[in-house]
Structures are given as structure tokens and as C-alpha cells.
Amino acid sequence: MNELKWWQKTNVYQVYPKSFLDTTGSGTGDIKGITAKLDYLKTLGVGAVWLTPVYPSPMVDNGYDIADFTAIDPSYGTMEDMENLIAEGKRRGIRMVMDLVYNHSSDKHPWFIDSATSRDSEHADWYIWRDAKPDGSAPTNWRSIFGGSAWTWCEARQQYYLHTFAAAQPDLNWENPAVRQALYDAANFWLDKGVGGFRIDAIVYIKKPEVFVDGEPDSDDGMVNIHSMIANTPGILDFLYEFKEQVFAGHDIFTVAEANGVEPHELDKWVGEKGAFDMLFEFSHMNLEFPNGELWSHATGYTPEIIPELKKVLSASQHATADNGWYPAFFENHDQMRCVEHYFPAEADKKLAAKAMAAVLMTLRGTPFIYQGQELGLGNTAWENIEDYNDISSHGQYELALAEGKSPAEAMTIVHRYSRDNARTPMQWTRGKNAGFSAGVPWLPVHEDYACQCVESEALAEDSVLSWYRQLSALRQSGEAAGVLQQGDYTELLADNPAIMAFRRRFGCRLVYTLVNFSGQRQTYELPELEEARLLSGSISGSQQGSLRPYEAVIYIKETGERL
Ligand code: GLC
């Protein structure tokens, strides 16, 4: 195997800046707060920090509606703060990774403001404009991802514009070379500042079909999810190769693209030496509760049957990236519920559940992405009223659930499970006021149980989730298992066991085994090859070979004596 690149050996930590650390008392986090915690991140083996957008934004979608691609929103600080963060990070071996949100801009971006003035404006063709149907209605029946029509009427132009997400996020017209050039220039601006990579947002939507047609409705509202109409339209790769050529190629950085719906057989075109990106976030393991489409009200919720599915899709992703590209392992991000709730029954011991997911995350083949608070084992939140929620998609999905005949209480239960605010509550640093996040009034409430689940408390406890993450990170990065965990191949074990996830990593003369019990019952297993193996680490003390206690995770190592 080729020498691994720096980003294949490190852990990536995702910071949601608004909720990370507030140094001014404003109630929202800022860039100085991230700089202040770089030493903390170092203790987690972090070599790169993915920042969700910090650009000027009206914050309709918390920064994913960008009004200027090459500046910093004043609520986060200044460009100087950003430069300082990049420099302080570099000094510690931590590179900053920027989020490129290039499918759309904010409707307050000067390009869109100009585009919306008239059909002859300078930027007239920078967004996707269409005439109304003869009866005046929207050009198609596409539903935006946040709910409601994907088209909004503009009086001045007497036309509709397309938005895959909120009306405040008009889609950019990638067919226009001037648009592409402006976007590449913005990314190059950040490369010149010394960033270590990019996460590329919602990239599967940038190419639109040549002809726009109505789709078969998938709900009572007569609309169809826009995803099924525009995602991965043929021709998209031409744009992406150009993007790579004009921006990423030749730099010692990494790129990871959010690409919901790319199939494993297409992967070599998307990732690797010849592909457009280094890594792809695909969502097969995140969407298990959505076999009936992406509407929250159609989700199945947790069932134990999810675990065999989880095993299957994770193994498939490991195989798909064995030769092509590299796997970005993740179980949380700012759009998802907390993983301790996702893959475990409500009554599960949350601390053990968090440790179980950590064991999988940190021992799969690929680069682990840790989302802020995941290393503390944080759980979901459940506020009483829909008005308490900030997340724009929670509101859209709540309305849709009501329109489908659910009661307000049922709709709230759905919001409690799937709201993106679950992952956006303030980071929990100390046992003090507001968990040490802010001296002011936090923009979202802090979890009630922060006193026991915070960095201050968990750093002191040897058996905490945080200590387990640190231990696993050390295993990955130094010592006898590091070579295997970084470079070793992957083989699934106990594939037919519905409750235990087990896999073997192999490199040179060493084998490393991970076994995790996802159930609330003690499970026994037979794995003769484990007999001569030695326990490296266990989430509960006193592990026994051949059986796993509820939610227990164990990691073994074995020398084979022969180079495999
Ligand atoms: C991505 C982001 C999400 C955002 C959306 C629109 O899915 O992760 O937070 O709302 O794109 O930009």
C-alpha cells in the first residue's frame, strides 16, 4: 500500500461554531472560542477541524445560507481571528477545513439581489429561473428538502426561482461558467489562507436536468421530494472534475463531499486518484430508519432489526472503499440525532452505548470524524413546543406531519427524535453556569444533565466516554495496534449474528478485532480465531472471551507469526 497521507492517519473533529464556545457573552460561539480549545482537541488526536460555515449569513439555515463566500460573519469574529485560528492550529498540527456551500447562496447575497431585479441584470443568469405554468402555478411539483414548494415567485422578474432547500437559499446556476469561476476563486481564496481541506456541501444537487418535469407525488400534498428529481444528474462529474482541476489538485489537503445517494458502483468516479474527491460522506448507515423516503413522519424509529442492516451497510461501505478512495467514518454530524439514541433502544445505558459507537468509529478502516459532544456521549434533547426549535427543517417536517393527519403531540414526538437541534445544543465544558459555554444567554438551551456530562467531569473519570475516546485515539495513532488500525484491511466476522457487530483488521503480522454488543442482553459467540488474542481494551472492566455483556465493546490484538 502507498504511504498514507496525513489526513488518513489523523482524527477529524467537526466543530459547529455557533455552539462550541462563546468568548464574548453574546450567547453564540465564536472563532476565538475554537482557538481557545485547540489544546483540548489535541488530546483527542485531532489533526483537522471541519468548521461548519462561518461566513456572513442571515442565519436562516445557521450559516448554510451564505451572503459572502470570502468573509467572516461578525458574530463569529473577524478575518484576523480566522487567520489566527489557522496559524495556532498549524502550530499544533491541526489544519482547518472549510465548508463549501456551493449548491446555493443566501437570497441576501449580492449576486442574487442583482439577479432578482430583472431578467437583464448582470447576474440575471446566475440562478435558476423559470416561467410559471400557464395557470400561474410553480414550474414543477417539487418539494424542497425543508418542506413546501421548491419554487418561490419573484415579482420583479415575473418568474419563479428554484431552491433545493429554503426559499432563502436559491440554487446557483452551475451551467454558467462565470458562476463556476466565482466559486472556484472563493475556494482558492481559502487555500491561500492555508486551510487544510474542504467539506463540500450538498454537492449532488449542483447539476440540474435539462428538462424540468413533474414527479409522481410521494405524499398527500401532491408534491415529490426534489432529491429524487435532481440528485446526481448525469453530467455532474464534468463539473466536479473541473472543480478539482481548478482548485484542489496539487495541494496537500483533503476533500470530503456530502453525497447522499451515490451508489457504491459509481464510487471510483467520485473518489480516489481519478475521482473528484478524496472522500465521500454517504448516508446508507444514517438513513436506516427511512426506507420509505426522507419524510420524518414516514420513518420507522428504532427497532432491533436496524442492527443487522447497520452491519450490512457498514461492511458494504468498507468493501466499496477498500481499493477506491478512502472512507470517512462518522455516526454524527450537525444534521443528525445523537448516535447513542440512533442505534440503541431508549432504555439502553447511554454511557455504554456511546462507548460502543466509539469503538466502531475508531477501529473501522478510514478516517474517523468525531462531532462535537459525541466524545462526551451526549444524547438527544426534547423540548415541549415546536416554537422552542430553531432548526428550519424541524418546522417544515412538523407542518408536513400535521398535514398528513398526525396530532400535534405525535408530530412533536417525531421532531424530538429527528430534529437537527439534537446535535446543536451548546458544547458542555464545565460544571459551571451554562456548562461553561457562555456567560450570556445561550442561543439554544444547554442539556440539563451537563454537570456529569462535561469535559471537566469526564476528564477526571477513568471510565468516562471522553477517556475512552482518548484511549481509542491513542490506540489508533501510536503503539502496537496503530499500523493495523490505520492501514489494515477489513473483514466482517459473525455476519449472521443479529446483535453483535464484529470485524477483523489485518496488517503485516498483526490482527486487531473489534466486537460490540448492540443489545441489552448478554450475548455469547464462538470465534475460535480469537483464542490466542489478547485484550487491548474493553468498555467495561473484566471482559471475558466468548461473551459480551449488554452494550459491551472489546478490542483484541493477535500476532499471527506469519506475514499475511
Ligand atoms: C447540508 C448541510 C445542512 C444544510 C444543507 C443546506 O445538508 O449539512 O446543514 O442545511 O446542506 O445547505
Side-chain angles (χ1 to χ4, degrees):
M1 175 187 272
N2 299 332
E3 182 68 14
L4 292 182
K5 308 230 171 61
W6 66 271
W7 48 266
Q8 294 175 304
K9 295 187 262 196
T10 197
N11 304 326
V12 182
Y13 189 90
Q14 184 190 348
V15 167
Y16 196 69
K18 196 167 179 178
S19 301
F20 195 60
L21 180 63
D22 167 19
T23 62
T24 66
S26 64
T28 58
D30 46 57
I31 290 171
K32 282 197 173 123
I34 305 168
T35 314
K37 292 297 179 187
L38 288 171
D39 288 331
Y40 165 72
L41 297 181
K42 207 65 210 160
T43 69
L44 282 162
V46 169
V49 171
W50 155 24
L51 301 176
T52 57
V54 287
Y55 318 99
S57 165
M59 302 285 170
V60 171
D61 187 20
N62 278 320
Y64 281 91
D65 45 323
I66 299 172
D68 183 344
F69 290 104
T70 54
I72 299 293
D73 192 273
S75 69
Y76 290 123
T78 62
M79 187 58 83
E80 203 185 334
D81 294 340
M82 188 67 208
E83 287 163 353
N84 189 45
L85 171 62
I86 294 170
E88 288 297 321
K90 265 196 187 151
R91 193 166 304 154
R92 293 166 176 82
I94 304 179
R95 309 277 309 267
M96 295 304 135
V97 172
M98 302 300 275
D99 213 317
L100 297 183
V101 186
Y102 278 3
N103 174 67
H104 46 268
S105 75
S106 161
D107 61 344
K108 299 294 181 294
H109 195 295
W111 299 340
F112 185 76
I113 293 175
D114 182 54
S115 192
T117 53
S118 82
R119 299 187 191 197
D120 315 309
S121 65
E122 185 190 340
H123 298 90
D125 193 25
W126 282 47
Y127 293 84
I128 296 171
W129 297 97
R130 289 288 185 280
D131 294 336
K133 278 185 181 163
D135 67 355
S137 64
T140 64
N141 68 342
W142 302 349
R143 186 191 313 104
S144 80
I145 289 183
F146 292 154
S149 172
W151 296 98
T152 292
W153 178 249
C154 170
E155 267 309 307
R157 283 184 64 137
Q158 292 289 300
Q159 277 183 315
Y160 283 91
Y161 67 88
L162 182 70
H163 47 91
T164 301
F165 296 90
Q169 294 166 299
D171 281 33
L172 285 155
N173 178 15
W174 272 70
E175 303 294 338
N176 182 340
V179 170
R180 302 205 298 276
Q181 194 56 53
L183 297 174
Y184 303 154
D185 289 349
N188 279 317
F189 169 91
W190 291 107
L191 280 177
D192 290 344
K193 295 263 175 230
V195 301
F198 297 107
R199 178 262 186 184
I200 300 102
D201 185 73
I203 199 67
V204 294
Y205 304 121
I206 59 169
K207 176 85 184 176
K208 309 298 190 280
E210 254 164 52
V211 188
F212 290 6
V213 291
D214 279 348
E216 189 63 36
D218 61 11
S219 171
D220 302 345
D221 62 4
M223 290 196 257
V224 58
N225 187 344
I226 187 171
H227 176 91
S228 59
M229 304 305 292
I230 67 165
N232 301 329
T233 298
I236 188 170
L237 287 161
D238 296 335
F239 288 154
L240 298 181
Y241 294 148
E242 182 187 85
F243 194 178
K244 178 180 179 182
E245 188 54 41
Q246 298 282 321
V247 182
F248 316 133
H251 292 276
D252 185 22
I253 60 162
F254 73 81
T255 53
V256 56
E258 186 194 33
N260 212 345
V262 173
E263 303 282 333
H265 71 269
E266 305 167 297
L267 216 66
D268 55 341
K269 299 191 183 60
W270 284 79
V271 289
E273 292 284 305
K274 297 206 195 87
F277 303 109
D278 294 310
M279 298 181 270
L280 272 195
F281 284 132
E282 50 97 3
F283 289 79
S284 51
H285 60 304
M286 305 304 276
N287 291 339
L288 297 171
E289 294 184 19
F290 294 93
N292 314 313
E294 295 198 350
L295 297 185
W296 294 0
S297 54
H298 296 186
T300 60
Y302 168 86
T303 64
E305 286 74 45
I306 276 182
I307 300 309
E309 284 303 311
L310 176 66
K311 291 175 53 165
K312 212 184 290 167
V313 296
L314 278 185
S315 266
S317 302
Q318 289 282 292
H319 291 306
T321 48
D323 301 317
N324 289 318
W326 190 251
Y327 186 62
F330 77 103
F331 292 117
E332 290 189 11
N333 67 26
H334 63 291
D335 295 330
Q336 303 285 337
M337 75 172 94
R338 294 291 187 174
C339 67
V340 295
E341 319 269 356
H342 201 163
Y343 304 108
F344 301 88
E347 68 279 7
D349 179 316
K350 298 283 186 284
K351 184 163 147 187
L352 288 178
K355 287 185 172 187
M357 292 317 290
V360 178
L361 180 77
M362 303 296 282
T363 61
L364 280 175
R365 181 173 183 278
T367 296
F369 281 68
I370 304 167
Y371 177 71
Q372 70 181 47
Q374 183 177 353
E375 78 276 27
L376 303 175
L378 298 193
N380 282 354
T381 191
W383 301 318
E384 213 176 311
N385 302 305
I386 189 65
E387 293 76 35
D388 301 331
Y389 283 80
N390 170 281
D391 165 29
I392 185 169
S393 60
S394 299
H395 290 268
Q397 297 279 355
Y398 177 83
E399 290 304 325
L400 259 166
L402 293 185
E404 287 193 331
K406 300 261 190 296
S407 71
E410 287 166 335
M412 277 319 289
T413 307
I414 294 168
V415 168
H416 289 160
R417 185 158 182 82
Y418 299 109
S419 174
R420 303 190 300 174
D421 283 345
N422 281 318
R424 299 177 180 184
T425 59
M427 180 65 181
Q428 296 166 202
W429 297 105
T430 70
R431 290 189 282 257
K433 188 183 164 203
N434 297 331
F437 162 69
S438 169
V441 182
W443 74 284
L444 277 185
V446 180
H447 264 285
E448 279 167 16
D449 50 2
Y450 70 83
C452 33
Q453 278 191 312
C454 64
V455 173
E456 184 182 18
S457 304
E458 295 201 23
L460 296 172
E462 258 176 47
D463 74 334
S464 66
V465 178
L466 178 61
S467 299
W468 175 246
Y469 265 95
R470 287 177 170 164
Q471 201 179 321
L472 294 171
S473 169
L475 281 185
R476 256 194 97 81
Q477 295 182 359
S478 56
E480 55 186 340
V484 189
L485 291 177
Q486 290 174 13
Q487 317 219 20
D489 63 11
Y490 165 95
T491 305
E492 184 178 14
L493 302 171
L494 307 177
D496 296 332
N497 189 306
I500 299 178
M501 180 182 294
F503 51 88
R504 178 182 67 212
R505 304 286 312 282
R506 180 193 66 166
F507 184 67
C509 307
R510 288 208 174 118
L511 303 164
V512 172
Y513 297 85
T514 301
L515 290 98
V516 173
N517 180 2
F518 277 85
S519 78
Q521 290 80 43
R522 186 173 163 277
Q523 301 282 342
T524 56
Y525 61 88
E526 275 182 43
L527 204 55
E529 63 175 280
L530 211 58
E531 271 160 26
E532 285 156 28
R534 180 164 45 85
L535 185 72
L536 260 184
S537 218
S539 63
I540 321 174
S541 62
S543 312
Q544 298 277 326
Q545 263 201 24
S547 82
L548 288 166
R549 289 162 285 176
Y551 314 114
E552 183 173 14
V554 287
I555 299 166
Y556 286 89
I557 190 164
K558 179 170 136 175
E559 309 290 335
T560 62
E562 60 187 291
R563 188 165 286 272
L564 292 166

